[in-house]
Amino acid sequence: MHTVAILAYDGMTGFETGLAAEIFGITELNEKFSAGITAPWYSVQLCAEVPEVRLLGGATVRTSHGLAELADADTVVIPSVRDIDEPVSPALVDALKAADRRGARLVSICSGAFALAEAGVLDGRSATTHWLYADAMQRRYPDVQIDRAPLYVDNGRVLTSAGCAAGLDLCLHIVRCDHGAAVANDVARRLVIAPHRAGGQAQYIETPVPEPAADGRIAAGMAWALEHLDTPITLDDLAAQCAMSRRSFLRQFAKATGSTPIKWLIEQRVLASLPLLESSLLSVEQVSARVGFESPVTFRYHFVRQMHTTPSEYRSCFAGAVAP
């Protein structure tokens, strides 16, 4: 099995470590894949410098796996560091360097990028971390190309993600790359999270929180639109479905969503195209028509703006076992 070593350390929170252990250690998938249904799943090991570490909040965790096992793993996950202003443990740095020399996949979540940077594995590479830590990381490690914007950066064998929740996106991305879109979507459904947020999606956008709608008509209109994405939908169509005037609809929609109806509709059409690109044999032109774009050119334009890649490139990266 593919061994995933997750670092545990004194003073850690359970979230970053737990999300990686949850995604790579789902029991049902371990059983399914060990039965030979598909490629082997992951074997998870919690590794620490000492046998017992204390979690934030007072709990303790005991593990029989140390840094030697971390250095020997196929994938190494550094969920975070206790304090970005503290020196990274020399023993951890040595273990990371040893794993790097072996060709292991190295993954960081949030401030875990500081440990990878200290080991030198990010030198000359693009990397990300939580936007709050980006300036400090750039000052300390000038040879690392810090990208403050994306949720995660995939350099092939070295991957870094932004804040804690972005670790979910990166771990799911790794599953998608290892086992295909269908398996990653299955994991996402089990965890009740979005099956795909592109790495290039912004970490942080300064925007006001929308106010709740006055009634359920906006939600009903949005539900109707989602059921009719394959047909032309105009602003007047949406307003009519909500039994509102055009002006009142625009005002209420912005109040409910913080967006405009057309922008929201385009976003939903692009999202609806993802499973078709992942698991069907439809051409890009056919997918474009299925989700209601007027032309393939318009589809590609909005797809690139939203996903930061082309439909064809997305398909080549994320298509699993296709079916007619």
Side-chain angles (χ1 to χ4, degrees), residues 2-288:
H2 183 107
T3 304
V4 176
I6 304 171
L7 178 70
Y9 58 88
D10 208 42
M12 70 180 187
T13 67
F15 182 64
E16 299 100 320
T17 304
L19 71 87
E22 174 71 17
I23 288 180
F24 296 122
I26 295 177
T27 304
E28 300 94 318
L29 293 180
N30 274 329
E31 294 172 352
K32 179 190 295 186
F33 295 141
S34 64
I37 295 176
T38 185
W41 194 242
Y42 308 98
S43 173
V44 175
Q45 298 177 344
L46 199 63
C47 301
E49 289 190 52
V50 294
E52 184 173 289
V53 296
R54 293 168 296 177
L55 274 68
L56 190 66
T60 59
V61 171
R62 293 189 61 84
T63 178
S64 59
H65 302 296
L67 295 185
E69 286 86 353
L70 184 140
D72 287 338
D74 300 304
T75 293
V76 176
V77 180
I78 309 300
S80 56
V81 296
R82 180 168 59 184
D83 188 337
I84 65 168
D85 294 321
E86 291 182 359
V88 180
S89 161
L92 175 59
V93 170
D94 289 343
L96 290 173
K97 288 181 177 179
D100 184 45
R101 286 193 297 269
R102 289 182 44 256
R105 179 166 54 193
L106 304 176
V107 180
S108 71
I109 299 171
C110 196
S111 61
F114 282 78
L116 295 187
E118 186 66 25
V121 300
L122 297 182
D123 288 352
R125 286 186 165 108
S126 176
T128 194
T129 186
H130 194 291
W131 58 270
L132 282 172
Y133 304 144
D135 289 340
M137 190 170 182
Q138 188 68 85
R139 287 192 300 269
R140 192 178 308 173
Y141 305 106
D143 292 333
V144 181
Q145 301 168 18
I146 306 297
D147 191 341
R148 294 163 171 78
L151 292 177
Y152 56 83
V153 173
D154 181 350
N155 279 308
R157 197 171 56 80
V158 180
L159 305 93
T160 54
S161 73
C164 305
L168 283 167
D169 300 291
L170 178 55
C171 291
L172 202 59
H173 168 75
I174 291 171
V175 172
R176 187 184 297 268
C177 292
D178 288 350
H179 295 282
V183 174
N185 291 343
D186 185 18
V187 173
R189 283 192 296 272
R190 291 166 185 264
L191 298 178
V192 197
I193 59 175
H196 177 71
R197 287 202 299 170
Q201 184 170 328
Q203 288 188 36
Y204 175 68
I205 300 174
E206 185 108 33
T207 184
V209 177
E211 298 179 14
D215 55 42
R217 288 182 291 172
I218 296 296
M222 294 168 75
W224 173 85
L226 291 176
E227 294 176 356
H228 296 82
L229 287 178
D230 59 335
T231 62
I233 300 174
T234 66
L235 186 57
D236 289 331
D237 292 333
L238 288 168
Q241 286 296 320
C242 297
M244 295 180 181
S245 68
R246 184 188 182 108
R247 182 177 179 181
S248 178
F249 172 69
L250 285 169
R251 184 174 64 252
Q252 292 296 327
F253 192 94
K255 183 178 180 181
T257 69
S259 182
T260 67
I262 299 305
K263 181 180 178 182
W264 173 83
L265 187 59
I266 289 171
E267 290 172 351
Q268 299 311 306
R269 292 190 193 280
V270 170
L271 291 176
S273 74
L274 301 184
L276 295 177
L277 292 170
E278 292 170 4
S279 58
S280 81
L281 296 177
L282 296 173
S283 67
V284 171
E285 290 73 16
Q286 290 171 318
V287 170
S288 169

